[in-house]
Amino acid sequence: MAGSSASSGRPPLFATEKPARVAAYAYRLFAGTVLAGLLLIWLYRATHLPPRSSSSARWWAWLGLFAAELCFGFYWVLTLSVRLSPVYRRVLPDRLTQRYKEEELPGVDIFVCTADPTLEPPMLVISTVLSVMAYDYPAEKLNIYLSDDAGSVVTLYALYEASEFAKHWIPFCKKYKVEPRSPAAYFARADSPPDICGPKEWSTLKEMHKGLTDSVNSIAHSGKIPEASEYKVMGFTQWSEDATYKDHPSIVQVLIDGNKRKTADIDGNALPTLVYMAREKKLQEHHHFKAGSLNALIRVSSVISNSPIIMNVDCDMYSNNSGSIRDALCFFLDEEQGQDIAFVQYPQNFENVVHNDIYGNPINTVNELDHPCLDGWGGMCYYGTGCFHRREALCGRIYSEDYKEDWSKAVRKTEEVDELEGTARSLATCTYEHNTLWGIEKGVRYGCPLEDVITGLQIQCRGWRSVYYNPARKGFLGMAPASLGQILVQHKRWTEGFLQISLSKYSPFLLGHRKIKLGLQMGYSVCGFWALNSFPTLYYVTIPSLCFLNGISLFPQITSPWFVPFAYVVVAAYSCSLVESLQCGDTAVEWWNSQRMWLFRRISSYLLAAIDTIRRMLGISESGFALTAKVTDSDASERYKKGRMEFGSFSLMFVIIATVALLNMTCMLFGVARVFLHEGATGFEALLVQAVLCALLVAINFPVYEALFLRKDSGKLPASVSLVSFCIVLPLCILPTNIQI
Ligand SMILES: O=c1ccn([C@@H]2O[C@H](COP(=O)(O)OP(=O)(O)O[C@H]3O[C@H](CO)[C@@H](O)[C@H](O)[C@H]3O)[C@@H](O)[C@H]2O)c(=O)[nH]1
Ligand SMILES: [Mn+2]
């Protein structure tokens, strides 16, 4: 165990553990053998280049493979950074309780973001809000802010209803220590009351929650709020008829003023402060998506509560662990090791993933292996949700050793709520940031679809550290997209963001030079260069198969000693990945599914992201933020549960996927037929590796063939995609390969 707070004489509030040394050495040894295999492959490619004169197609194909293998090799070296040096954190919240009285604990501001009441239903949003309102933390110290980028009256209505329901829900949670504290998640799972709770109390609350759900859903459906007078006196009056999602004034409404204690729960206890904010939007002003709303929240909260700790979650990511605030504080408040910690990131876990998820959604290996390694290098990334920040660090402060945080500093500039709301509104106008450092040096960064990662990197480059905390009871649960199209679009946005960072002056290697460790720079680049995998992968899954069809051999014969490094690298890499996956809790089917998703993402999302990034760098296009839908229609969600991939509509990404799948099937069928007809079984000797590669690609693409030929439901691949793919595959397969290029 590292880091005892020896000099302060106080026992530490958290512990850091490293795996046994022998495991680390064994991994290094293994990595060394794979590296040796890679070097031999490169050597083989360089020394066996076919003469150009005999077959120029073979020469070109060979060169391309060499380039692809060089790329894979370098990328693999980068990925070593997320396998060496993991650390695991454990918190000791009992010590925190012993050391700090409740009134000495710091204030915490929690930000929840939503942007569209259709894609993000208000009921989902308020379930998240209620879950964070019910944290096991003194209500006077807790302030919840909801940013509604749509400026939707329906969302405010839902939040108002939630504030009423909270008066019953929070005391219930605290009295019976229920988990999780999202009422929707709780009632979906619990079918009987907690032990000491009477059935009447439980069923009354359950009914009340059902009433809330029905009323919010029906208002969301109709888009009209009830005429009843109570709603008119609130911020509802501020909506004018012509306000739209993209054009509306700033609205700040304090729904529960924790300071005034006018509003108490049914037991007479204080409730956390609850604020609704819709920042101003104008068509001609760039609003910078989520980053813009987070920065507006930082400013608005600074005049209302100004807590030294800020936590932010996406609207679909409810708190699943009521102890998370205290856990996170163990890091910040540790006298010896906490001074330079800027943020504590929790992993992203999903509530809606099914067993043997077809999209490989459980990201267990990333959560269990990659992230602890980033932490080991001193800098877990900021992933935009489920993250506790030190306000000062988020607002641009450079770390210095003599800096001491004043945890009790929360200020409230005025007692009058009207005045407060007025000041807060002026901080949420779209002109406020003109000629300021907001979005550049202050707050969350603008101009990148991955505002979170670049912001985290910048904070680390200012001398701060971050930690990763992955407790057994998950801190947060969100919604994973459950349709292929949505996943690919989401990954395209992320990949574009990562590549943009990697190719800019904010790249981890440039910005982080001498500021963060080399291992961390490489760790960032693992995702940073996702996009660059796209070209070699696309090459590897098409050219060797086409060459197989045409009888062009590109790999050593199975009897040649050069076959050994190829076989070793592939078998070693894939078995290691399978073992890791199983160790982290995935099933073998999930591993196989995630390999398929890797392939799909690389040839579609990553490829288009790379192309779009180049276009953006040339000034041809601008990056946006395609919101991920959090609702799936019921047929589609049934298909998801049955493990059917959801295609449905025409998209360029589906065309690429279908084309690669069709191409491989054609090459396999006609390639095998050609060898047998012309050369007999001995003809396979030189083509065996390609035949196996082609067969594996056919096997992994099985769901695509199903969607192309077998399925009748509305999630199959549309005929237009099949048609375009056929039109591409056909000429490719009959293209003569003996032309001199
Ligand atoms: O203009 C916008 C767009 C989005 N959001 C909010 O941002 C969050 C994330 O959007 P979502 O569509 O769910 O994107 P995801 O791809 O699921 O988000 C992941 O990736 C984002 C970066 O691309 C991070 O910001 C998120 O935290 C991370 O969960 C949601 O709460 C949205 O309401 C806004 O507030 N304003
Ligand atoms: Mn999301």
Side-chain angles (χ1 to χ4, degrees):
M1 192 207 286
S4 94
S5 299
S7 61
S8 70
R10 298 181 127 186
L13 297 176
F14 70 93
T16 304
E17 277 142 21
K18 290 185 178 177
R21 265 164 194 253
V22 51
Y25 287 131
Y27 192 85
R28 269 160 225 220
L29 187 68
F30 166 76
T33 61
V34 175
L35 185 64
L38 275 171
L39 292 174
L40 285 174
I41 292 177
W42 291 346
L43 185 67
Y44 169 76
R45 287 281 173 225
T47 51
H48 290 69
L49 188 69
R52 199 173 173 183
S53 52
S54 61
S55 155
S56 113
R58 182 156 188 251
W59 187 82
W60 279 109
W62 192 279
L63 268 195
L65 273 192
F66 189 14
E69 282 153 2
L70 279 172
C71 282
F72 290 148
F74 282 120
Y75 188 76
W76 176 82
V77 172
L78 277 185
T79 63
L80 285 181
S81 62
V82 287
R83 284 297 174 272
L84 309 171
S85 86
V87 295
Y88 302 94
R89 311 282 186 183
R90 196 159 47 82
V91 294
L92 302 150
D94 291 344
R95 291 188 183 165
L96 184 85
T97 316
Q98 285 161 11
R99 204 169 302 168
Y100 292 89
K101 294 199 200 92
E102 294 289 270
E103 59 273 20
E104 285 168 357
L105 290 171
V108 176
D109 289 350
I110 298 184
F111 299 167
V112 182
C113 291
T114 184
D116 185 327
T118 322
L119 297 176
E120 303 174 331
M123 202 51 218
L124 175 92
V125 178
I126 62 168
S127 299
T128 301
V129 169
L130 284 163
S131 76
V132 293
M133 284 177 84
Y135 266 125
D136 170 25
Y137 205 67
E140 301 81 5
K141 303 270 178 182
L142 196 55
N143 311 279
I144 320 296
Y145 295 82
L146 174 69
S147 152
D148 175 18
D149 257 358
S152 152
V153 68
V154 175
T155 305
L156 175 54
Y157 168 83
L159 194 67
Y160 171 77
E161 291 285 296
S163 71
E164 290 296 310
F165 180 70
K167 294 175 187 165
H168 302 264
W169 176 244
I170 296 176
F172 173 80
C173 289
K174 295 201 170 162
K175 197 151 120 203
Y176 301 114
K177 301 204 168 2
V178 306
E179 297 280 2
R181 296 193 175 178
S182 146
Y186 173 72
F187 286 117
R189 273 179 239 168
D191 40 19
S192 59
D195 285 347
I196 43 167
C197 170
K200 184 147 191 313
E201 186 184 355
W202 193 74
S203 54
T204 314
L205 192 70
K206 194 172 174 175
E207 274 310 304
M208 205 181 274
H209 179 250
K210 187 169 178 306
L212 169 76
T213 313
D214 292 345
S215 92
V216 168
N217 285 347
S218 87
I219 301 289
H221 186 71
S222 69
K224 288 219 170 347
I225 56 163
E227 291 268 321
S229 55
E230 56 186 339
Y231 303 130
K232 285 197 180 142
V233 295
M234 318 253 303
F236 294 97
T237 47
Q238 296 170 17
W239 267 275
S240 62
E241 284 296 311
D242 47 1
T244 63
Y245 289 3
K246 293 185 178 157
D247 196 333
H248 54 80
S250 60
I251 297 163
V252 177
Q253 174 89 48
V254 179
L255 290 163
I256 301 175
D257 182 2
N259 243 30
K260 278 285 171 77
R261 306 202 66 176
K262 261 198 303 200
T263 329
D265 69 21
I266 50 163
D267 292 344
N269 296 318
L271 284 167
T273 297
L274 180 65
V275 180
Y276 170 91
M277 179 202 83
R279 64 194 164 118
E280 184 186 26
K281 274 195 177 173
K282 283 211 176 96
L283 287 177
Q284 66 276 19
E285 296 282 345
H286 201 320
H287 59 75
H288 304 291
F289 311 103
K290 181 180 166 188
S293 64
L294 283 175
N295 286 345
L297 281 171
I298 295 176
R299 293 193 298 273
V300 165
S301 65
S302 74
V303 292
I304 299 178
S305 47
N306 201 28
S307 301
I309 299 284
I310 289 176
M311 194 274 274
N312 85 290
V313 278
D314 291 349
C315 60
D316 58 344
M317 197 151 249
Y318 66 82
S319 149
N320 182 54
N321 183 340
S322 62
S324 296
I325 298 187
R326 290 176 197 268
D327 290 353
L329 287 180
C330 289
F331 294 103
F332 291 112
L333 296 185
D334 186 289
E335 290 82 357
E336 286 298 309
Q337 312 166 72
Q339 292 292 340
D340 58 348
I341 294 178
F343 58 89
V344 177
Q345 174 71 58
Y346 280 69
Q348 289 211 17
N349 295 100
F350 304 109
E351 134 135 296
N352 59 327
V353 289
V354 295
H355 182 64
N356 285 345
D357 174 272
I358 184 84
Y359 303 115
N361 265 318
I363 40 173
N364 291 337
T365 42
V366 177
N367 285 343
E368 307 294 329
L369 295 172
D370 294 21
H371 292 163
C373 289
L374 292 179
D375 193 359
W377 296 118
M380 171 61 188
C381 307
Y382 166 39
Y383 278 142
T385 179
C387 190
F388 287 82
H389 289 272
R390 189 189 286 265
R391 179 184 285 264
E392 286 287 334
L394 191 56
C395 288
R397 176 181 282 275
I398 295 171
Y399 173 72
S400 68
E401 272 178 20
D402 51 1
Y403 175 68
K404 272 252 176 296
E405 185 81 53
D406 173 10
W407 294 113
S408 60
K409 78 167 167 233
V411 283
R412 165 92 168 237
K413 306 255 157 63
T414 161
E415 282 301 310
E416 283 313 312
V417 171
D418 289 349
E419 206 180 307
L420 207 59
E421 286 176 351
T423 320
R425 259 198 300 276
S426 69
L427 298 174
T429 59
C430 49
T431 46
Y432 183 86
E433 292 179 347
H434 288 179
N435 306 318
T436 68
L437 288 176
W438 283 98
I440 307 164
E441 289 293 326
K442 253 183 137 165
V444 182
R445 246 202 98 80
Y446 293 157
C448 174
L450 269 188
E451 75 300 329
D452 40 11
V453 176
I454 192 162
T455 305
L457 174 63
Q458 221 171 0
I459 292 175
Q460 288 155 359
C461 292
R462 290 196 203 106
W464 297 95
R465 199 155 65 88
S466 59
V467 296
Y468 172 63
Y469 183 53
N470 184 9
R473 179 172 182 92
K474 300 300 168 206
F476 301 91
L477 287 179
M479 303 280 287
S483 101
L484 184 63
Q486 277 177 22
I487 294 178
L488 296 180
V489 168
Q490 188 186 48
H491 268 88
K492 177 172 174 272
R493 162 160 41 87
W494 290 345
T495 313
E496 241 180 282
F498 274 125
L499 188 62
Q500 233 180 69
I501 299 173
S502 302
L503 300 180
S504 71
K505 61 177 180 189
Y506 297 101
S507 100
F509 289 113
L510 293 179
L511 188 68
H513 183 59
R514 295 187 176 207
K515 295 193 182 121
I516 57 174
K517 290 188 180 145
L518 179 66
L520 186 57
Q521 297 174 11
M522 287 166 68
Y524 267 104
S525 307
V526 170
C527 306
F529 290 118
W530 268 346
L532 299 188
N533 272 307
S534 56
F535 298 104
T537 306
L538 190 63
Y539 191 88
Y540 230 88
V541 299
T542 49
I543 302 299
S545 306
L546 275 171
C547 288
F548 172 62
L549 174 70
N550 289 287
I552 301 173
S553 145
L554 296 173
F555 291 88
Q557 290 203 10
I558 189 164
T559 46
S560 148
W562 289 108
F563 174 74
V564 179
F566 281 92
Y568 178 72
V569 167
V570 171
V571 173
Y574 279 95
S575 13
C576 174
S577 140
L578 175 62
V579 169
E580 283 175 352
S581 234
L582 294 176
Q583 249 176 7
C584 296
D586 295 339
T587 62
V589 176
E590 277 163 354
W591 176 79
W592 177 246
N593 289 345
S594 68
Q595 297 306 310
R596 180 184 307 113
M597 286 306 294
W598 261 111
L599 171 66
F600 287 4
R601 288 202 298 263
R602 284 178 175 208
I603 60 177
S604 62
S605 311
Y606 296 2
L607 182 75
L608 297 186
I611 295 172
D612 273 4
T613 306
I614 297 167
R615 278 160 51 99
R616 217 187 45 84
M617 287 168 82
L618 299 175
I620 307 172
S621 71
E622 244 199 55
S623 56
F625 192 118
L627 205 65
T628 314
K630 278 97 189 163
V631 273
T632 325
D633 82 62
S634 58
D635 284 352
S637 86
E638 274 311 303
R639 285 195 286 271
Y640 168 60
K641 285 183 194 144
K642 284 188 194 142
R644 291 264 155 91
M645 244 180 194
E646 188 70 16
F647 294 92
S649 53
F650 182 90
S651 99
L652 181 54
M653 302 212 207
F654 293 163
V655 170
I656 304 173
I657 290 171
T659 306
V660 168
L662 269 183
L663 181 84
N664 276 287
M665 191 162 75
T666 319
C667 290
M668 194 174 85
L669 293 178
F670 289 95
V672 171
R674 191 197 59 79
V675 174
F676 272 119
L677 287 180
H678 295 291
E679 298 159 44
T682 49
F684 271 116
E685 269 168 26
L687 293 172
L688 192 74
V689 175
Q690 278 150 276
V692 170
L693 180 63
C694 199
L696 281 173
L697 285 166
V698 170
I700 209 156
N701 275 310
F702 181 72
V704 184
Y705 307 127
E706 223 182 7
L708 275 172
F709 307 119
L710 305 175
R711 281 167 55 180
K712 303 262 178 300
D713 57 72
S714 56
K716 69 176 177 109
L717 270 165
S720 46
V721 171
S722 328
L723 190 71
V724 178
S725 305
F726 271 115
C727 293
I728 303 172
V729 170
L730 201 66
L732 280 178
C733 289
I734 51 178
L735 197 74
T737 47
N738 53 355
I739 44 170
Q740 297 294 317
I741 306 168

